Amino acid sequence: MLRIPTNTLIKRQIHGNAEIVKNCKEIRNRNPRNLERLRIARKPMGYALDKRERGYWHKLVVHTTQRHVIAEIYHFENGPVITVSSKDWGLKKQLYSTNDCIAYKFVGRMLAQRCLESGISEIYLNKTSFVIGKKVQSLIDTLLESGICLQEPEQYKHPRPGTMNYPEKPWETYE
């Protein structure tokens, strides 16, 4: 058995983040969606003759089949980022039917949970792209109740010199 004197033991100290930030020389943000969160990233608008509208960062898409419900969050570059379906084993085992109003609510609750876990709190909802019935409206209401905003903020555009209206910068907080 090895015995170490207590005076030579190094005691672990708890440090705050202030000391780390003070000693930090370089900060690298490796989050690819950081500019979207700061509202600086470009929103692709597309062309005038394009069929689809592309003025969003994240878009809600709901597919319905005869048996299942599929809700997806699409990123404008990468395609589907988050997908929730009533085919998922965890949801399917808890549902009586995978295509009724309760299934839409459960899919909406699971989608909201996954969105908040991944840092997506604002989603673009194009109401003209699909028919909003009672079932889809229950999914949308569940998203709203769970804390998801169904309207993305506007892109920050730097004002030209000489303009009277200077918008608040999204990365500065005034309290």
Side-chain angles (χ1 to χ4, degrees):
M1 189 162 129
L2 182 65
R3 297 184 97 178
I4 301 173
T6 57
N7 58 358
T8 59
L9 286 176
I10 299 172
K11 294 183 178 180
R12 185 174 176 176
Q13 295 178 353
I14 299 173
H15 299 286
N17 288 340
E19 294 178 16
I20 296 171
V21 172
K22 190 187 307 180
N23 296 330
C24 184
K25 296 177 183 151
E26 180 180 327
I27 296 175
R28 287 188 188 180
N29 188 350
R30 295 181 290 183
N31 184 0
R33 309 247 194 280
N34 186 42
L35 295 179
E36 295 169 7
R37 300 279 299 154
L38 289 174
R39 294 179 17 209
I40 301 172
R42 184 181 69 84
K43 274 188 182 180
M45 299 313 280
Y47 295 103
L49 298 176
D50 278 348
K51 208 173 195 181
R52 58 183 180 204
E53 186 177 338
R54 295 194 50 154
Y56 62 87
W57 289 309
H58 297 99
K59 178 182 178 180
L60 174 67
V61 178
V62 180
H63 300 290
T64 58
T65 62
Q66 291 180 355
R67 293 188 180 184
H68 299 287
V69 182
I70 302 166
E72 296 176 330
I73 303 296
Y74 269 83
H75 188 260
F76 74 95
E77 285 181 340
N78 303 335
V81 180
I82 301 171
T83 304
V84 179
S85 173
S86 59
K87 293 181 199 175
D88 294 345
W89 184 80
L91 284 177
K92 190 176 183 180
K93 289 295 178 184
Q94 304 219 355
L95 296 173
Y96 177 72
S97 172
T98 56
N99 199 14
D100 62 348
C101 191
I102 301 298
Y104 278 81
K105 281 190 173 193
F106 270 76
V107 167
R109 189 176 297 162
M110 183 66 81
L111 184 69
Q113 179 184 355
R114 289 183 185 175
C115 284
L116 292 175
E117 286 174 356
S118 63
I120 299 172
S121 58
E122 292 110 6
I123 299 170
Y124 171 73
L125 176 65
N126 188 2
K127 295 180 181 177
T128 61
S129 66
F130 54 87
V131 178
I132 297 181
K134 186 192 288 186
K135 294 179 182 179
V136 176
Q137 187 62 44
S138 68
L139 185 140
I140 291 171
D141 292 340
T142 307
L143 286 174
L144 288 172
E145 290 169 5
S146 300
I148 301 293
C149 181
L150 294 178
Q151 186 177 14
E152 285 188 336
E154 289 294 321
Q155 176 184 351
Y156 175 77
K157 294 185 181 176
H158 186 71
R160 297 179 188 267
T163 55
M164 298 298 289
N165 184 15
Y166 286 100
E168 180 180 333
K169 296 177 183 173
W171 56 89
E172 292 179 356
T173 57
Y174 302 105
E175 294 182 19

